[in-house]
Amino acid sequence: MKKLFLLTALLAFFTLVTSQKKCPLPKLLEPCKCTSDDYPVLYVCNNIIDQDALNTAFRNSYDYPLDALSLRYSSLLYLPISLLKTKNISFIAISDSTMASIFDEPPHRQNKLENVILRNISLQRGVDWSLFSSVSPKIIQIEQVAIKRIGLVFTQSIRSSLTQLTLLKTKTASFNEKAFSKLTNLHHFECSYNRIKVLKRSMFSDPSPLNYLDFTQVSFIFFSDCLLLFAMLDIIRYDFFFMF
Ligand SMILES: *[C@@H]1O[C@H](CO)[C@@H](O)[C@H](O)[C@H]1NC(C)=O
Ligand SMILES: *[C@@H]1O[C@H](CO)[C@@H](O)[C@H](O)[C@H]1NC(C)=O
């Protein structure tokens, strides 16, 4: 009995030590919180209105791992990527916030950013796609963030690693002629509740692995080369108001 107790105590001690190793002491990370059941190490930062407080938290946790970061209900300038250099952040979600820009500089290659979710954020400088040119995200999901046009900067910055793109209620009205043409792995594209008027075959790669395209509630769609486009798709959801 005594032995068992000792073992339990030892185990508890080791768990404490290892979880402390992954998460910094809560006080150091304020106003953020760290949770870690081994993997992933998640930082949740809510209600941040002081950029310096966030910078201090990241400076204090400089030597600790970070896999996923969630920022919500905040008003600040940017996520200080310059203080996250050492981390493998594969997942970033920002929602219900106001910012000048998403990041202060492009994430570093070793940040391995794979999944980006932006929801209901107001960005003074708009979405600067060039901030993503150094990383290779696989999934980008954007909802309720104003992106009037997918222009040349998107085409030049977003790499062919992208497999899933969602632009939901982004007030998007137009795409560059070659908007998604470099995205040779894009198989899932959702662009619902937007104002797209023209969609062309040339906007996508050729051949294209696209098998899911959702343009629900787009007010008017014109497909040029529509036969080619349909031939390339396995599934199309179209609850359009108006087609052709
Ligand atoms: C980040 O990932 C690389 C390779 O996957 C690994 O060598 C490195 O130790 C990781 N760094 C951290 C801080 O987890
Ligand atoms: C969007 O975010 C703002 C804060 O920037 C918040 O006040 C508002 O309630 C959010 N809207 C929705 C629909 O969640």
Side-chain angles (χ1 to χ4, degrees):
M1 191 65 197
K2 208 172 169 186
K3 254 187 187 160
L4 192 69
F5 172 76
L6 208 87
L7 189 71
T8 319
L10 262 175
L11 272 176
F13 174 72
F14 276 119
T15 315
L16 194 72
V17 168
T18 44
S19 68
Q20 269 182 355
K21 240 179 154 177
K22 295 223 161 167
C23 281
L25 288 172
K27 204 160 173 34
L28 290 178
L29 200 58
E30 274 171 12
C32 300
K33 288 189 168 62
C34 172
T35 58
S36 162
D37 287 322
D38 204 34
Y39 182 87
V41 178
L42 166 70
Y43 284 17
V44 176
C45 304
N46 289 342
N47 304 302
I48 314 280
I49 48 164
D50 181 358
Q51 180 75 46
D52 288 339
L54 188 68
N55 290 2
T56 303
F58 287 146
R59 217 170 273 130
N60 287 344
S61 59
Y62 196 77
D63 296 325
Y64 291 84
L66 167 54
D67 306 305
L69 175 64
S70 164
L71 178 79
R72 261 189 116 174
Y73 310 124
S74 298
S75 179
L76 71 167
L77 290 172
Y78 45 69
L79 274 181
I81 289 294
S82 45
L83 296 173
L84 300 169
K85 268 179 203 155
T86 52
K87 307 199 194 297
N88 292 342
I89 319 175
S90 54
F91 178 98
I92 285 183
I94 307 175
S95 57
D96 305 306
S97 296
T98 302
M99 302 171 89
S101 177
I102 305 171
F103 308 131
D104 58 339
E105 61 181 64
H108 296 249
R109 215 167 290 266
Q110 65 269 28
N111 286 149
K112 293 199 305 191
L113 200 55
E114 286 188 357
N115 197 331
V116 180
I117 297 178
L118 307 177
R119 203 181 141 271
N120 181 33
I121 55 174
S122 160
L123 293 164
Q124 275 163 29
R125 292 179 215 148
V127 175
D128 179 0
W129 297 108
S130 69
L131 288 170
F132 294 96
S133 60
S134 58
V135 284
S136 306
K138 289 183 185 153
I139 298 173
I140 296 181
Q141 290 172 291
I142 303 183
E143 188 182 336
Q144 289 175 269
V145 179
I147 301 173
K148 282 215 174 117
R149 178 173 163 80
I150 295 290
L152 203 60
V153 183
F154 174 93
T155 311
Q156 288 168 345
S157 306
I158 303 300
R159 297 180 181 205
S160 63
S161 54
L162 195 71
T163 62
Q164 239 191 78
L165 177 64
T166 301
L167 301 172
L168 183 63
K169 299 181 184 169
T170 46
K171 299 184 176 160
T172 310
S174 64
F175 297 143
N176 176 278
E177 289 282 317
K178 300 250 171 217
F180 315 103
S181 60
K182 285 188 185 170
L183 303 179
T184 49
N185 294 299
L186 185 71
H187 61 75
H188 181 118
F189 181 31
E190 183 180 347
C191 184
S192 301
Y193 301 93
N194 279 321
R195 301 168 184 166
I196 297 298
K197 292 197 165 40
V198 179
L199 196 59
K200 293 183 181 173
R201 179 67 187 84
S202 67
M203 292 170 178
F204 298 89
S205 71
D206 190 6
S208 165
L210 209 54
N211 60 23
Y212 184 90
L213 190 64
D214 188 347
F215 275 78
T216 306
Q217 295 277 325
V218 167
S219 53
F220 170 63
I221 294 254
F222 171 61
F223 286 121
S224 341
D225 302 334
C226 59
L227 277 178
L228 276 171
L229 185 69
F230 280 113
M232 135 185 137
L233 301 169
D234 295 339
I235 307 168
I236 299 182
R237 271 192 60 186
Y238 44 99
D239 320 352
F240 311 139
F241 283 172
F242 191 167
M243 242 173 90
F244 308 111

